[in-house]
Amino acid sequence: MTEAATINTQLIDTLTQIILALTEEERHILIHKLLTPNQTSDTTKADRETLKQEIAIGAGQLQTGQYTEYDDNSLPNLLLTIKERGQQRLKQE
């Protein structure tokens, strides 16, 4: 057996131990990533493009005055509204 084969065998043994130590959910995630390795980079690119578009929309809204200014009196209501929306989203998921 060559040295390269020995290293690969050791690597495989180590990976096997790691995989066996994963929870079932982690194994499912690993399997998904192994079956769709390029999807992550495609998703990241799509996310970046979406973010760029949303930033452009926001910049346009700022330029046309389509925004709301908050002060010390109105800010607590905004924070409460954001918290309520977040809780509703969590319930829907």
Side-chain angles (χ1 to χ4, degrees):
M1 192 182 278
T2 67
E3 184 178 337
T6 303
I7 292 171
N8 288 336
T9 302
Q10 291 173 348
L11 176 62
I12 291 170
D13 289 342
T14 302
L15 290 172
T16 302
Q17 291 173 355
I18 292 169
I19 291 168
L20 291 174
L22 296 174
T23 65
E24 189 166 335
E25 181 181 358
E26 291 167 335
R27 282 189 210 135
H28 287 294
I29 293 169
L30 175 62
I31 291 168
H32 177 73
K33 287 188 179 248
L34 289 171
L35 294 175
T36 56
N38 293 329
Q39 186 177 16
T40 304
S41 63
D42 293 342
T43 302
T44 303
K45 288 177 187 176
D47 289 346
R48 284 185 191 149
E49 288 304 314
T50 300
L51 184 57
K52 285 180 183 179
Q53 291 172 355
E54 290 176 355
I55 290 171
I57 290 169
Q61 289 172 332
L62 284 172
Q63 290 176 348
T64 60
Q66 298 175 349
Y67 59 89
T68 303
E69 291 187 28
Y70 296 93
D71 59 20
D72 290 340
N73 294 326
S74 59
L75 191 57
N77 289 333
L78 172 64
L79 298 176
L80 183 61
T81 301
I82 292 170
K83 183 178 177 180
E84 289 172 352
R85 286 182 188 167
Q87 289 173 342
Q88 288 174 355
R89 271 180 89 180
L90 287 174
K91 287 179 184 176
Q92 290 173 353
E93 294 176 1

